[in-house]
Amino acid sequence: MTTKSLTELGELCRSEKLAYKKCCNYVSETNNPELRSTLGNLANGHRQRYETLLCYLDKN
């Protein structure tokens, strides 16, 4: 894998981690149950993508 590809994957990983943290923060700031559920689902998606990217980067 090229250095450029690894750099881009690293940037994607950081973006997913940041999006996860933001969603979690928003969940903690709202009292609306529907919004909490939606944001929680979004956070879980970002966490899963982050973990997938991290595992891939660890193997390379």
Side-chain angles (χ1 to χ4, degrees):
M1 183 173 293
T2 66
T3 302
K4 182 178 179 181
S5 294
L6 286 173
T7 301
E8 289 173 351
L9 286 172
E11 289 173 10
L12 282 172
C13 195
R14 285 186 292 279
S15 294
E16 289 295 342
K17 184 177 181 180
L18 178 61
Y20 169 73
K21 287 182 176 184
K22 285 183 176 184
C23 284
C24 289
N25 187 46
Y26 295 143
V27 165
S28 69
E29 291 181 356
T30 186
N31 293 324
N32 181 318
E34 289 180 37
L35 188 54
R36 287 178 71 95
S37 177
T38 300
L39 289 168
N41 290 336
L42 287 171
N44 287 335
H46 287 299
R47 182 186 47 79
Q48 288 173 347
R49 284 186 293 279
Y50 168 76
E51 289 174 356
T52 299
L53 286 166
L54 194 60
C55 287
Y56 184 78
L57 287 170
D58 284 345
K59 291 179 183 177
N60 289 299

